[in-house]
Amino acid sequence: MSDLLGVAVLGAGHMGADHVRRLDQVVSGARVAAVADPDAERAKAAVAGIDGVVVHTDVEAVLDAPGVEAVLIASPGEAHEEALLAAFARGLPVLCEKPMVPDPAGALRVVEAEARLGRRLAQIGFMRRYDEEYRQLKSLLEGGRLGRPLMLHCVHRNVSSPPHFTSDMLVTSSVSHEIDAARWLLGQELTAVTVLRPRPSAGAPEGLLDPQLVLFETERGALVDVEIFVNCGFAYEVRCEAVCETGSARIGDARTMVVTAAGGARREVPQDYLVRFSDAYDREVQSWVDAARGGRVTGPDAWDGYAASAVADAGVRALETGSRTPVDLAPRPALYTTP
Amino acid sequence: MSDLLGVAVLGAGHMGADHVRRLDQVVSGARVAAVADPDAERAKAAVAGIDGVVVHTDVEAVLDAPGVEAVLIASPGEAHEEALLAAFARGLPVLCEKPMVPDPAGALRVVEAEARLGRRLAQIGFMRRYDEEYRQLKSLLEGGRLGRPLMLHCVHRNVSSPPHFTSDMLVTSSVSHEIDAARWLLGQELTAVTVLRPRPSAGAPEGLLDPQLVLFETERGALVDVEIFVNCGFAYEVRCEAVCETGSARIGDARTMVVTAAGGARREVPQDYLVRFSDAYDREVQSWVDAARGGRVTGPDAWDGYAASAVADAGVRALETGSRTPVDLAPRPALYTTP
Amino acid sequence: MSDLLGVAVLGAGHMGADHVRRLDQVVSGARVAAVADPDAERAKAAVAGIDGVVVHTDVEAVLDAPGVEAVLIASPGEAHEEALLAAFARGLPVLCEKPMVPDPAGALRVVEAEARLGRRLAQIGFMRRYDEEYRQLKSLLEGGRLGRPLMLHCVHRNVSSPPHFTSDMLVTSSVSHEIDAARWLLGQELTAVTVLRPRPSAGAPEGLLDPQLVLFETERGALVDVEIFVNCGFAYEVRCEAVCETGSARIGDARTMVVTAAGGARREVPQDYLVRFSDAYDREVQSWVDAARGGRVTGPDAWDGYAASAVADAGVRALETGSRTPVDLAPRPALYTTP
Amino acid sequence: MSDLLGVAVLGAGHMGADHVRRLDQVVSGARVAAVADPDAERAKAAVAGIDGVVVHTDVEAVLDAPGVEAVLIASPGEAHEEALLAAFARGLPVLCEKPMVPDPAGALRVVEAEARLGRRLAQIGFMRRYDEEYRQLKSLLEGGRLGRPLMLHCVHRNVSSPPHFTSDMLVTSSVSHEIDAARWLLGQELTAVTVLRPRPSAGAPEGLLDPQLVLFETERGALVDVEIFVNCGFAYEVRCEAVCETGSARIGDARTMVVTAAGGARREVPQDYLVRFSDAYDREVQSWVDAARGGRVTGPDAWDGYAASAVADAGVRALETGSRTPVDLAPRPALYTTP
């Protein structure tokens, strides 16, 4: 018998298939034991060449398959609540892609269910916490060398948005990364949101409010501004500058080769988040596998998933009304630490 | 008889004395003909070692001194309106330090007076328009290669603020540079202001709202955000990123010597605006002298001075109310071009 | 039965122990099956907490241990020849740390032994070929967009050298990385070496000629200069600039977080090669494991190991004589491709 | 009567005309009093629009013209010795473009003539000493914070060379700037030269050995390597890294706007030395005018001009022979300080 952690992967789309590849070829100590997808052919394609994987269209059947010791949820957000509760019922450690649950009410039900269990099972897929530069920044801020953080200036640009991307999704899907990163970097909850809408870019699909400038206030008076621009056409860029009382720190100018030719010095800029954050994804999953094999759960927790949903929900209302919108958070169960 | 342009300098404080030195030692084609300051000793000190300069406490006396062919106004802002009108009355070309006139009503009277003359006499001291990097950015935006500008992200940091600096002055004095730069770079008027107030830095004097995040909207839908932080303690930094439809452009990361030692690669950052913008000041005054000797007036005009006052005035109200505040601009006389 | 590749690790020192950790915790698809070290306690310490590992002081015993399917050689360079030949005798794929064999005669014997086998078994541990920036540079040069490479400017700095490091070892141990990188990037053999010796740094141990400037000529007329400085005291830095006919490309300016504080903008610089090249080591070993599981051997080959020894040997003579010293290479067996 | 310094400019070619413009329009406190050029039409064209300038084909006539108080020599190098001696005979302060005198024997005669006068009259046009970044580097090295300099790595690239540029001229004309900069930065004489010749670039004119790698040794054991590449086609780049015992310092990565578009982040690189060093030229001439008006002579002296000629002369022999070539310097007269 192998001592590799047997993982059930729920969802075999773009992200699910990438995680199957990662578990099989990159991460140490894990194996893909089962895969669930409503489209059986897609599930089979994702595990082609891997031996001994149970494939099924039914989530419960996959969770109960022999050798399943942990669950990685990469299905659409709407399916997450049911999958998380099913994993909790079986006592299985879970890595759940973001958003944990898109609507705050459902997210809160997950938090309450885990709080009733009295122990953590879920890690939420905010992979930026595993990015080397974000960790440097977190460590710097926690060390206190620059004093208290006053502002975060964030930039989040995609070359283009997927089909059917809506104006709400700039906040709920794209900015959700900055929501979690800001909570984590600052160690504070976000308390209010304002969304400003410049005239849309000619490169944005008809009707999409792109770019937006999203402003967050925090419980201890810091400000976070986020440029979100999902059809910028020229780069995948994620930058963050923390402005503190005695210094500022910037991350996100990718390290790379500089080519000087034809009158300019040019460095390549990544075009895709799987390029920019590939190391972070690898570390995230490796870290989850290592903890699960040791009987532990670490990383972003269900409260982080819930808080991100609640803030994003306020952001959607702020986008619609054009007004500053307070964030409404339930009381935090004792199981969860501060962000 | 010399063919150097005879300049009367009004005000012999920090900035006035620096302009005296510049006219005497740096700029070609000009000489200091007269200096006015209410403090005669200070005026004398400013021209020590320069021959043949008329020194007086009275502005009119200085404007009428022999050899005066042009006026550089570096007195406090409250004295500018009277000085500008006096120069107009004599038909003298003027370089007037910013703010042209602090209150919008007074600024509008200057605009109307010059419009009645029917020809330009005043250049306003927005020296960033003469900075090499700002000019590169302006040229890039005008060329249209990156499409329409959607947002400007600006950072403006001072090591410390002068004594008696008030929360209003972060907008009216410091951000006035960004107000002009945004109008000039975008070629649009600013139409509304919002000011956000994070919890003040521990390094700010008691009662000063520092830093602030100032947001401007423009007549064609662009957004401008400005971090203004006048007691950051660590650097004089002025940065600007223009986010456009097909690319972004950044200026303001001064590139000087990089020293690698003791585990870090470090480049010096200027601590003072006279260091960061010394070339811009030199070019500004040289450009003014060259134009005046040729019987012309170029550069930022009285309308630019008025618009900056009007926007800053709206900014002060936005800071007080915490609300989005529209900018109220008078109709633009035909004498003046778009920003 | 597990389908993980069973690896015997020879040598349990600093590098060997790090590879044991990597095989156990980082790399996918491999397990540590056996470890050999003359110091049995050190070998045991390296595999503490890993189940089912055979530990022995004898190399042959370890190669013949059950489950051994591949060999990673991390013992001192003097032991490599015997270990490589023993692996060849058993038909085991090998990853051999550099130097493959320190003296060119021994290295040539390894080449000839593998050539007699008629198939590749050895991959040599030139891990820079797996560094992301080096791969970008290699790809750029091969693409031909910048024309033919004319010069490489290389910098290789260590904070401090290990005890007993000799002046020869700056060339044979440190510069051996540049020797391989230059051969690989340019696709050419190195044909002559000159070593210049500036007055040693006060930070260098008594008698050590540190830094040195090492110059290589290539078979098609390119020049390679290498600053090697192993007691610089301030940084682990590896940089390379390729100067080509229509452009230049630079790698090695690690871009991490930039902290602006107290008058300077500073980015951290790594102090250790295990930090700078940790990803490259991971990729190197993963790539070797993946190939071995698929019955293949890829990466730098025994000829590369031999050529590096031959060039370094000429370098030592160049250091001693102060003169330009030609490199003497045996004919290349058909098994091996160009560098 | 004007108190502007009356300057005679010898030579009205590219550089002479640029200095006429600089004296007339940029520099404070000087005026063009006379211009000499064998081509009278070219001389007239250079001073078009400037009043009261004596124009003549004869150098002596121009030096004796009314109002001439100082001389700027911008004629071809072969004419410098005679012009310098003529200025010395009249006690006129001189700014002489580099090379001071191309052949070391002639340069030494100038040194001896000035030494006989017993006071300095000549400043030599090594304008890099007036570049802001070079001055920062000089100041850092003199301060001693990084310990003793061990090596200088220099890069000097031109987009293309002028017609009739010879292989010798890479050393005598282009590298002469690095010769002076190295002497000045290190405060040491250069004692030997070696020139390496990679295969020429396809972009170099037929027969021109371009690029070259020039190596200098100094009297206290430092090494200087210079890449000189005068037909690189892509940039005017001048970089210098000083490697010291406890740190390194780099200059020459020009500060400028960064444009991110179409997958790359690009900053403009200057194409011309008049762009890269325009501020240095302005400061050089201003500094000379200021000193001359005060009855002083400062800046690089005739000994610096002679030493540059002597080192370049050894460099030409090193290029021809392919061997290390010692530099032969005459004893330094007491009038001159160390480099």
Side-chain angles (χ1 to χ4, degrees):
Chain A
M1 197 200 94
S2 161
D3 62 345
L4 301 178
L5 183 77
V7 179
V9 177
L10 309 187
H14 186 55
M15 184 58 89
D18 194 54
H19 277 310
V20 165
R21 178 196 59 77
R22 183 171 288 110
L23 288 165
D24 186 53
Q25 295 175 22
V26 180
V27 163
S28 171
R31 64 184 189 90
V32 181
V35 172
D37 198 277
D39 178 343
E41 292 312 308
R42 188 163 76 162
K44 276 178 203 158
V47 298
I50 311 180
D51 291 338
V53 184
V54 172
V55 170
H56 210 286
T57 57
D58 181 64
V59 166
E60 304 261 339
V62 150
L63 295 186
D64 293 329
V68 167
E69 300 163 290
V71 188
L72 195 162
I73 302 177
S75 49
E78 299 70 34
H80 286 188
E81 181 180 354
E82 190 180 333
L84 283 159
L85 297 178
F88 289 176
R90 287 159 178 81
L92 295 173
V94 192
L95 176 57
C96 179
E97 270 301 326
K98 51 122 295 215
M100 181 179 79
V101 178
D103 72 291
L108 188 56
R109 284 191 295 269
V110 168
V111 161
E112 290 166 348
E114 198 184 34
R116 275 195 302 273
L117 280 178
R119 65 188 175 103
R120 285 191 55 190
L121 284 176
Q123 172 177 333
I124 313 307
F126 292 117
M127 86 294 184
R128 288 196 192 166
R129 299 196 188 189
Y130 295 90
D131 176 67
E132 188 52 34
E133 290 188 71
Y134 271 94
R135 294 171 87 97
Q136 286 180 15
L137 183 54
K138 169 73 168 169
S139 166
L140 181 77
L141 296 180
E142 281 190 344
R145 185 157 68 85
L146 300 186
R148 202 161 43 88
L150 304 168
M151 284 182 278
L152 296 183
H153 300 312
C154 307
V155 166
H156 182 160
R157 294 174 188 152
N158 296 81
V159 174
S160 61
S161 59
H164 314 304
F165 214 72
T166 65
S167 297
D168 283 7
M169 291 170 78
L170 271 76
V171 175
T172 59
S173 177
S174 306
V175 176
S176 70
H177 284 294
E178 272 76 22
I179 291 174
D180 183 68
R183 293 178 65 251
W184 177 66
L185 289 171
L186 299 173
Q188 299 177 52
E189 296 294 355
L190 308 183
T191 54
V193 198
T194 307
V195 181
L196 300 177
R197 305 151 36 159
R199 182 166 146 182
S201 170
E206 177 73 24
L208 193 70
L209 298 171
D210 181 28
Q212 302 173 16
L213 186 72
V214 185
L215 302 160
F216 299 105
E217 303 166 36
T218 77
E219 53 184 336
R220 292 199 292 282
L223 266 187
V224 180
D225 52 88
V226 183
E227 175 203 320
I228 177 68
F229 189 3
V230 299
N231 288 281
C232 82
F234 55 90
Y236 178 73
E237 283 194 293
V238 169
R239 302 200 307 248
C240 181
E241 176 173 18
V243 185
C244 303
E245 293 181 323
T246 63
S248 91
R250 281 193 284 172
I251 60 172
D253 279 317
R255 142 185 158 182
T256 174
M257 180 169 64
V258 175
V259 178
T260 302
R266 176 189 162 104
R267 59 181 172 77
E268 299 297 309
V269 169
Q271 300 294 298
D272 192 278
Y273 67 97
L274 289 178
V275 173
R276 168 66 178 84
F277 285 113
S278 71
D279 287 350
Y281 279 111
D282 291 352
R283 272 193 217 102
E284 175 193 56
V285 177
Q286 185 70 63
S287 168
W288 174 68
V289 166
D290 291 349
R293 293 176 85 195
R296 289 170 291 108
V297 177
T298 59
D301 61 26
W303 179 260
D304 296 317
Y306 161 68
S309 290
V311 173
D313 188 65
V316 169
R317 280 174 286 132
L319 174 65
E320 284 161 3
T321 62
S323 305
R324 177 184 180 280
T325 304
V327 174
D328 187 28
L329 276 189
R332 183 166 47 213
L335 180 63
Y336 304 107
T337 56
T338 51
Chain B
M1 197 204 92
S2 161
D3 61 349
L4 300 178
L5 182 77
V7 179
V9 178
L10 309 186
H14 186 56
M15 184 57 92
D18 194 54
H19 278 310
V20 166
R21 176 197 60 77
R22 181 171 288 109
L23 288 164
D24 185 53
Q25 295 174 23
V26 180
V27 162
S28 171
R31 65 182 188 90
V32 180
V35 171
D37 197 278
D39 178 344
E41 291 312 307
R42 188 163 77 162
K44 276 180 203 158
V47 299
I50 311 179
D51 291 339
V53 185
V54 172
V55 171
H56 211 286
T57 56
D58 182 65
V59 166
E60 304 261 339
V62 151
L63 296 185
D64 293 329
V68 167
E69 301 162 289
V71 188
L72 194 162
I73 303 178
S75 49
E78 299 71 34
H80 287 187
E81 181 179 353
E82 189 180 334
L84 282 159
L85 297 178
F88 289 176
R90 285 158 179 83
L92 294 173
V94 192
L95 174 58
C96 179
E97 270 300 327
K98 50 120 298 213
M100 180 178 81
V101 177
D103 72 292
L108 187 57
R109 286 192 294 271
V110 169
V111 161
E112 290 166 348
E114 197 185 36
R116 276 194 302 274
L117 279 178
R119 63 186 177 105
R120 285 193 55 189
L121 283 176
Q123 172 179 332
I124 312 306
F126 292 117
M127 87 292 184
R128 288 198 192 165
R129 299 195 188 191
Y130 295 90
D131 176 67
E132 189 52 36
E133 291 188 71
Y134 271 94
R135 293 171 87 97
Q136 287 180 14
L137 182 54
K138 169 73 168 168
S139 167
L140 181 77
L141 295 181
E142 283 190 343
R145 185 158 67 86
L146 300 186
R148 202 161 43 89
L150 303 168
M151 284 182 278
L152 296 183
H153 301 310
C154 306
V155 166
H156 182 161
R157 294 175 188 152
N158 295 82
V159 174
S160 61
S161 60
H164 313 303
F165 214 72
T166 65
S167 297
D168 283 7
M169 292 168 78
L170 271 76
V171 175
T172 58
S173 176
S174 305
V175 176
S176 70
H177 284 293
E178 272 75 22
I179 291 173
D180 183 67
R183 293 177 66 253
W184 177 65
L185 289 171
L186 299 173
Q188 300 176 51
E189 296 294 354
L190 307 183
T191 55
V193 198
T194 307
V195 181
L196 299 178
R197 305 149 39 160
R199 184 166 144 180
S201 170
E206 178 72 25
L208 193 70
L209 296 171
D210 181 28
Q212 300 174 16
L213 187 72
V214 185
L215 302 161
F216 298 105
E217 302 165 37
T218 77
E219 55 184 332
R220 290 199 294 283
L223 266 186
V224 180
D225 53 88
V226 182
E227 174 203 319
I228 177 67
F229 189 4
V230 299
N231 288 280
C232 81
F234 54 90
Y236 179 72
E237 282 194 293
V238 170
R239 303 200 306 249
C240 182
E241 176 173 18
V243 185
C244 303
E245 293 182 322
T246 64
S248 91
R250 282 193 284 173
I251 60 173
D253 280 316
R255 295 189 66 104
T256 63
M257 182 170 62
V258 175
V259 177
T260 303
R266 178 189 161 104
R267 56 181 174 74
E268 301 295 310
V269 168
Q271 300 293 299
D272 191 278
Y273 68 96
L274 289 178
V275 173
R276 168 65 179 84
F277 286 113
S278 70
D279 287 350
Y281 279 111
D282 290 353
R283 271 193 218 103
E284 174 194 58
V285 177
Q286 184 70 64
S287 168
W288 175 68
V289 166
D290 291 349
R293 294 175 85 193
R296 291 169 290 108
V297 177
T298 58
D301 61 26
W303 178 260
D304 296 315
Y306 161 68
S309 291
V311 173
D313 189 63
V316 169
R317 280 176 284 132
L319 173 65
E320 285 161 2
T321 62
S323 305
R324 177 182 180 280
T325 305
V327 174
D328 187 29
L329 276 188
R332 182 166 48 213
L335 181 62
Y336 304 107
T337 56
T338 52
Chain C
M1 197 202 93
S2 162
D3 62 345
L4 300 178
L5 183 77
V7 179
V9 177
L10 309 186
H14 186 55
M15 184 57 92
D18 195 54
H19 277 309
V20 166
R21 178 197 59 76
R22 182 171 288 109
L23 288 166
D24 185 54
Q25 295 174 23
V26 180
V27 163
S28 172
R31 64 182 189 90
V32 180
V35 171
D37 197 279
D39 178 344
E41 292 312 307
R42 189 163 76 162
K44 277 179 203 159
V47 298
I50 311 180
D51 291 339
V53 184
V54 172
V55 170
H56 210 287
T57 55
D58 182 65
V59 165
E60 304 261 338
V62 150
L63 295 185
D64 293 329
V68 168
E69 300 163 290
V71 188
L72 195 162
I73 302 178
S75 49
E78 298 71 34
H80 287 188
E81 180 179 355
E82 190 180 335
L84 282 159
L85 297 178
F88 289 176
R90 287 158 178 81
L92 295 173
V94 192
L95 176 57
C96 179
E97 270 300 327
K98 49 120 302 215
M100 181 177 81
V101 177
D103 71 293
L108 189 56
R109 284 192 296 269
V110 169
V111 161
E112 291 167 347
E114 198 184 34
R116 276 196 302 272
L117 281 178
R119 63 186 177 106
R120 283 192 56 190
L121 283 175
Q123 172 179 334
I124 312 307
F126 292 117
M127 87 293 183
R128 289 196 190 166
R129 299 196 188 190
Y130 295 90
D131 177 67
E132 187 52 35
E133 291 188 71
Y134 271 93
R135 293 171 87 97
Q136 287 180 15
L137 182 54
K138 169 74 169 169
S139 166
L140 181 78
L141 296 181
E142 282 190 344
R145 184 157 68 85
L146 300 186
R148 201 160 44 87
L150 303 168
M151 284 182 276
L152 296 183
H153 301 311
C154 307
V155 167
H156 182 160
R157 294 174 189 154
N158 296 81
V159 174
S160 61
S161 60
H164 313 303
F165 214 72
T166 65
S167 297
D168 283 7
M169 290 169 79
L170 273 76
V171 175
T172 58
S173 177
S174 306
V175 175
S176 70
H177 284 293
E178 272 75 22
I179 290 174
D180 183 68
R183 293 178 63 253
W184 178 65
L185 289 171
L186 299 173
Q188 299 177 51
E189 296 295 355
L190 308 183
T191 54
V193 197
T194 307
V195 181
L196 300 178
R197 307 151 35 159
R199 182 166 145 180
S201 170
E206 177 72 25
L208 193 70
L209 297 171
D210 181 28
Q212 301 173 16
L213 187 71
V214 185
L215 301 161
F216 299 105
E217 303 166 36
T218 78
E219 54 184 333
R220 292 200 292 282
L223 265 187
V224 180
D225 53 87
V226 182
E227 175 204 319
I228 177 68
F229 189 4
V230 299
N231 289 281
C232 80
F234 55 91
Y236 179 72
E237 282 194 294
V238 169
R239 303 199 307 247
C240 182
E241 176 172 19
V243 185
C244 303
E245 292 181 325
T246 64
S248 90
R250 281 193 283 172
I251 59 172
D253 280 318
R255 294 190 66 104
T256 63
M257 181 169 62
V258 175
V259 177
T260 303
R266 177 189 161 106
R267 59 182 172 73
E268 300 296 311
V269 167
Q271 299 294 298
D272 192 279
Y273 68 96
L274 289 179
V275 172
R276 168 65 179 87
F277 286 112
S278 72
D279 287 351
Y281 279 111
D282 291 353
R283 272 193 217 101
E284 175 193 56
V285 178
Q286 184 71 63
S287 169
W288 174 67
V289 167
D290 291 349
R293 292 175 86 193
R296 289 169 290 107
V297 176
T298 59
D301 61 26
W303 179 261
D304 297 317
Y306 161 68
S309 291
V311 174
D313 188 64
V316 169
R317 280 175 284 132
L319 174 64
E320 284 161 3
T321 62
S323 304
R324 177 183 179 281
T325 304
V327 174
D328 187 28
L329 275 189
R332 182 166 47 213
L335 181 63
Y336 304 106
T337 55
T338 51
Chain D
M1 194 205 92
S2 160
D3 62 347
L4 299 178
L5 183 77
V7 179
V9 177
L10 308 186
H14 186 56
M15 185 58 91
D18 194 54
H19 278 309
V20 165
R21 176 198 61 76
R22 181 171 288 111
L23 288 165
D24 185 52
Q25 295 174 23
V26 179
V27 162
S28 172
R31 64 183 189 88
V32 181
V35 171
D37 197 277
D39 178 344
E41 291 312 307
R42 188 163 78 160
K44 277 181 201 156
V47 300
I50 311 179
D51 290 339
V53 184
V54 172
V55 170
H56 210 286
T57 57
D58 182 66
V59 166
E60 305 261 338
V62 151
L63 295 186
D64 293 328
V68 168
E69 300 162 290
V71 188
L72 195 161
I73 303 178
S75 49
E78 299 69 36
H80 287 188
E81 181 179 354
E82 189 179 336
L84 282 159
L85 297 178
F88 289 175
R90 286 158 180 82
L92 295 172
V94 192
L95 175 58
C96 179
E97 270 301 325
K98 49 121 300 213
M100 181 178 80
V101 177
D103 71 292
L108 188 57
R109 285 191 295 270
V110 169
V111 162
E112 290 166 348
E114 197 184 36
R116 275 194 303 274
L117 280 178
R119 65 187 176 102
R120 286 192 54 190
L121 283 176
Q123 172 178 333
I124 312 306
F126 292 116
M127 88 292 185
R128 288 197 192 166
R129 300 195 188 192
Y130 295 90
D131 176 67
E132 188 53 34
E133 291 188 69
Y134 271 94
R135 293 170 87 97
Q136 287 180 13
L137 183 55
K138 169 73 168 169
S139 167
L140 180 78
L141 295 180
E142 282 189 344
R145 184 157 68 85
L146 299 186
R148 202 162 43 90
L150 303 169
M151 284 182 277
L152 297 183
H153 301 310
C154 307
V155 166
H156 182 159
R157 295 175 188 152
N158 296 81
V159 174
S160 61
S161 60
H164 313 304
F165 214 72
T166 65
S167 297
D168 283 8
M169 291 169 79
L170 271 76
V171 175
T172 58
S173 177
S174 306
V175 176
S176 70
H177 284 292
E178 272 75 22
I179 291 173
D180 183 68
R183 294 178 64 253
W184 178 65
L185 289 171
L186 299 173
Q188 298 177 52
E189 295 295 355
L190 307 183
T191 54
V193 198
T194 308
V195 182
L196 300 178
R197 305 152 36 161
R199 184 165 142 181
S201 170
E206 177 73 23
L208 193 68
L209 296 171
D210 181 29
Q212 301 173 16
L213 187 72
V214 185
L215 302 160
F216 298 105
E217 302 165 36
T218 78
E219 54 184 333
R220 290 199 294 282
L223 266 187
V224 180
D225 53 88
V226 182
E227 175 204 319
I228 177 68
F229 189 4
V230 300
N231 289 282
C232 81
F234 54 91
Y236 178 71
E237 282 194 293
V238 170
R239 302 200 306 249
C240 182
E241 176 173 18
V243 185
C244 303
E245 292 181 322
T246 63
S248 90
R250 282 193 284 172
I251 61 173
D253 280 317
R255 147 184 155 180
T256 173
M257 182 168 63
V258 175
V259 177
T260 302
R266 177 189 161 104
R267 58 183 174 73
E268 301 296 309
V269 168
Q271 300 294 298
D272 191 278
Y273 68 96
L274 288 178
V275 172
R276 167 67 179 84
F277 285 112
S278 71
D279 287 350
Y281 278 111
D282 290 353
R283 272 193 216 102
E284 175 194 59
V285 177
Q286 184 70 63
S287 168
W288 174 69
V289 166
D290 291 348
R293 293 174 85 195
R296 289 168 291 108
V297 177
T298 60
D301 60 27
W303 179 261
D304 297 314
Y306 161 68
S309 291
V311 174
D313 189 63
V316 168
R317 281 175 285 131
L319 173 66
E320 284 161 2
T321 62
S323 306
R324 177 182 179 280
T325 305
V327 174
D328 187 30
L329 276 189
R332 182 166 49 215
L335 180 63
Y336 304 106
T337 56
T338 51

